[in-house]
Amino acid sequence: MKKYDELYEVAVSNYGLVTAKTIDELGIHLKDILEWVKSGRLEKRGRGVYRITHYLPTEYDTYAEAVALVGDTAMICGESVLAMHNLALVNPVRVHVAVRRRLRKELPDWIETEKATSKITEDNFNGIPCQKLSEVIRLSRGKILTERLVSAVHEAGTKGLLDVFEYEALKKEFSV
């Protein structure tokens, strides 16, 4: 029971998820994991990713799970960053994830991967690696209606999702 308690503590701080890497670091054996899956304590979400079953879901679970399924170098990118921040009224069909290295995993259909360019700036939102919000807003020009982006800039500035300098720069760029 002690091993499961350790696993539980780690999972709770990571949207109910644990990866094979974390399991190894905790010194938990595969037979224990398989036993917990069989008994219903853990649910296998993908290759090397498990979720504790008695976890209260949040609005960010999908994004955390996408990053965990893709791997260490993954980050949420593009429209999915706007959706994660609940800005610009976007609701992409798939979660867009950028990766910095070649990916050979079989992933669910709801995840779309793309090669991360060296220009992408990584940020962190609620413990989930993602592309920097100000960068996404700038890159969305021409793809998303301008009035939605203007609204997103204003809302992100008021919510404190942008630092003062980014907010002022985006206000000038979008004439807010």
Side-chain angles (χ1 to χ4, degrees):
M1 188 68 168
K2 184 180 178 195
K3 289 181 184 179
Y4 182 77
D5 292 338
E6 288 178 45
L7 183 79
Y8 180 84
E9 290 300 318
V10 172
V12 166
S13 64
N14 192 34
Y15 299 96
L17 299 168
V18 287
T19 62
K21 182 180 177 183
T22 307
I23 291 167
D24 284 344
E25 289 170 357
L26 291 172
I28 298 173
H29 301 286
L30 180 62
K31 70 176 181 71
D32 294 326
I33 297 299
L34 295 175
E35 182 181 308
W36 295 331
V37 168
K38 190 175 178 181
S39 70
R41 287 181 168 182
L42 288 179
E43 174 188 10
K44 184 171 183 168
R45 300 301 295 164
R47 185 175 182 211
V49 178
Y50 300 88
R51 172 171 274 141
I52 53 175
T53 53
H54 53 280
Y55 167 74
L56 293 173
T58 70
E59 61 185 299
Y60 306 113
D61 290 354
T62 305
Y63 306 106
E65 186 174 332
V67 168
L69 287 169
V70 173
D72 291 340
T73 65
M75 74 175 104
I76 304 298
C77 67
E79 286 183 13
S80 295
V81 175
L82 293 172
M84 185 169 63
H85 287 85
N86 201 17
L87 298 170
L89 298 172
V90 293
N91 188 14
V93 176
R94 294 187 173 105
V95 176
H96 299 270
V97 180
V99 289
R100 297 200 184 275
R101 62 177 184 205
R102 187 172 171 195
L103 188 67
R104 296 181 182 158
K105 289 182 179 180
E106 186 72 28
L107 295 170
D109 292 339
W110 57 271
I111 298 175
E112 186 173 313
T113 60
E114 56 189 66
K115 181 93 169 111
T117 62
S118 58
K119 296 177 186 176
I120 288 183
T121 310
E122 189 172 340
D123 200 2
N124 193 306
F125 179 70
N126 288 344
I128 302 170
C130 63
Q131 186 176 7
K132 195 167 184 143
L133 180 59
S134 58
E135 186 175 294
V136 171
I137 292 172
R138 284 186 181 96
L139 293 173
S140 297
R141 198 177 236 165
K143 297 176 187 173
I144 297 175
L145 293 172
T146 307
E147 55 264 14
R148 287 188 181 181
L149 290 175
V150 167
S151 173
V153 169
H154 179 67
E155 196 173 336
T158 359
K159 287 181 176 178
L161 299 173
L162 298 168
D163 68 33
V164 176
F165 301 110
E166 290 173 332
Y167 181 50
E168 291 302 320
L170 285 170
K171 277 177 34 178
K172 281 183 184 176
E173 287 178 43
F174 286 92
S175 304
V176 177

